[in-house]
Amino acid sequence: MFHFPSWTLTIRDTAGLLVGGGLLYVIVIVTFGFSPMTTDVGYQPTQPVPFSHAIHAGELGIDCRYCHNTVEKAGHAAIPPTATCMNCHGMIHTESEKLELVRESAKTGEAIPWVRVHDLPDYAFFNHAAHLAAGVGCSSCHGRIDHMETVFQKEPLSMGWCLDCHRNPEPHIRPVDQITNMAWENDADLGAKILAERGIEPNQNCSTCHR
Amino acid sequence: MSLERVMPVGLDNTSDDPSGRQALIVNNNTYESITEKVCGVVEDPRIDKRWLAMFIVALGGLGMLFSLIVYLIATGVGVWGNNMPVAWGWPIVNFVFWVGIGHAGTLISAILFLLRQDWRTSINRFAEAMTIFAVVCAGTFPGIHVGRIWLAYWLFPIPNQMLMWPNFRSPLLWDVFAVSTYASVSTVFWYMGMIPDIATIRDRAKHPLRRLAYGVLALGWRQNARAWHRYEKAYGILAGLATPLVLSVHTIVSFDFAVSQLPGWHTTIFPPYFVAGAIFSGFAMVVTLAVPARAMYGMKDIITMRHLENMNKVILATGMMVGYAYAMEFFIAWYGGNRYEQFAFINRATGPYFWAYWIMVSCNVLSPQVFWFKKARTSIPIMMVVAILVNIGMWFERFVITVTSLSRDFMPSSWGYFKPTLVDIGMLVGSFGLFFTLFLLFLRFLPMIAMAEVKTVMNRPKQEESAERPEMAASLN
């Protein structure tokens, strides 16, 4: 006849096993659920040209809109064409090895194959202009780009992350003239005031993004 | 004890004599002979040729179902005959059909238990097995009916990175909860009821592997009074819980239709009508399975003619309820004065699917009427024919409700005609393969009759009586 070991018969004796199993379960769930593998946070591909935001936006203090010039008017924030690079690099660092590909692109007209870091699925229609007009600054979603040697994904860009802000926008709103100010410190009270003054109510329905 | 006169033990236990109670188990069976018979099926080392032949056929059907599912997922739901007015075709018809089949098992084990119907003991085990296997078949269809099967887990309310939850106002979501609860509760009910019998097999097992397998399944069951006391209590509570469950599950399935606005679907009679239909089709399936099983495994004295007759009475009663519902739908269509509803029902009886409607009526309403006669109720060939007709008729009932209502509704510009494809047909046939594969495995490896329960309703065998209680035996003589 088959016997179960007596220690299996009471909860008290198996409590250790249950607690240990529960802990292991929580650890596994947290490790994998919050890992960058799941959320894409920290995604930092190598780019064809070693472009440094830290130099251009940080040290040189170029405004974001000099290169990403459609960001206030269009849904899509443009990657600058080679011509924008050549505005300066036609004269500066003309012999630099790092810029070899840029010069070649300018000569042949072939686009530089930049690797997209912030990649939303095509069924989610994000609009840059709408967010900038409402007073959402670059750094709120992209982090301190002016400190990044190579751009990486700062936030998960998940739907829950989007909705968190649409449901509670106050801490993320700033005056529109400060949107490209990377050093700006967000302030929930000021945000609330701006929202109230301008009557901004973020949408939460499906058709806002999933058109 | 002596107040109830027990009728003399004979082979025919179908006559009702108000002066006494008919034996449910005939042919001088003793406790030992019941155990020998039921365990003998499981313990027989030889493989029955008939069983093997049926099993191979069933496996073939299962293989076809699985390959068709793979084909479906790889290609898309367009491999079915579903079109735009009729977006719910055979998969949903089959789903409701199988869920309905699955309800007789719980009815027999739970509701008849609450009503203290002793005749349930001989048939409840494999009726419950039938329930579970039918629910497996049923659960397959809504699972694959969605176009993107890999997102089906979105139906469950799990916290997620989208901050999204299912919409709790859809009866299709209630289906998820109803069917998954029903499947789990019936499995627990079935398994719990089986533990004492598995323990019997364990105790009789000679091979150590069998001892281990059945020992694990028996969960260390000992035949002591405290365990039995708790077992009976738990069984009663589960029966009490399963009863509202069985009614609500098929009610929820009926809500899939009744909650919509479609003429022919939007009807308040659907919940009780569907439940009656489920019991009807379920009992027909039990008869269809019990008759060959009792012959094949020599269980004719445990599943007696009286059991079959009682089931036929239930089939007659629920068949009449279903017939009443058919009539009432037509009456309300006329009485309600809604042109769309009137058209929907005239379309059922005389439209392009008139043949399906009249197959349904003749199988479900007319064929059980023969059961008014005892000769028909106790005749094996007649009851087999009627039971199979009822199964066919109840499949057509779901087909008629689903397809005829969808194919012609409010706007004539969106009328269509549904034609099944080979994939539709193959999946229906394949689902029988899945069902019979599981059912045949059950017959071979688990006790098909609840021995422990049957023994509580037997005539106490004479020799034991006199051995244990000589004074009682003397007073009876």
Side-chain angles (χ1 to χ4, degrees), chain A residues 1-4 157-161 163-164 167, chain B residues 161-164 202-203 211-212 215 219-220 222:
Chain A
M1 202 179 277
F2 181 79
H3 288 274
F4 279 93
L157 306 187
S158 66
M159 183 166 144
W161 174 79
L163 279 172
D164 273 341
R167 285 173 185 170
Chain B
Q161 55 82 24
M162 301 177 288
L163 297 186
M164 285 246 294
R202 169 200 66 192
D203 295 347
R211 224 166 16 217
L212 179 72
L219 301 178
R222 297 277 180 282

Side-chain angles (χ1 to χ4, degrees), chain B residues 463-474:
Chain B
Q463 67 277 19
E464 288 180 35
E465 193 112 54
S466 41
E468 285 171 29
R469 294 173 161 184
E471 76 288 356
M472 185 71 102

Side-chain angles (χ1 to χ4, degrees), chain A residues 17-53:
Chain A
L17 202 69
L18 293 174
V19 169
L23 266 178
L24 190 72
Y25 177 77
V26 169
I27 289 167
V28 168
I29 288 294
V30 168
T31 314
F32 287 99
F34 291 86
S35 89
M37 259 167 29
T38 312
T39 59
D40 276 347
V41 169
Y43 174 58
Q44 191 176 29
T46 313
Q47 299 289 353
V49 178
F51 179 81
S52 167
H53 277 85

Side-chain angles (χ1 to χ4, degrees), chain B residues 386-437:
Chain B
V386 172
I388 289 170
L389 282 180
V390 167
N391 283 325
I392 295 170
M394 285 307 291
W395 188 87
F396 271 99
E397 180 193 296
R398 281 68 178 242
F399 175 82
V400 165
I401 291 172
T402 310
V403 174
T404 62
S405 314
L406 281 170
S407 67
R408 291 189 167 182
D409 59 1
F410 295 109
M411 286 202 301
S413 59
S414 60
W415 284 4
Y417 187 83
F418 171 85
K419 270 197 230 87
T421 61
L422 279 177
V423 179
D424 279 307
I425 298 164
M427 280 192 170
L428 174 61
V429 175
S431 68
F432 278 90
L434 169 61
F435 177 79
F436 280 106
T437 303

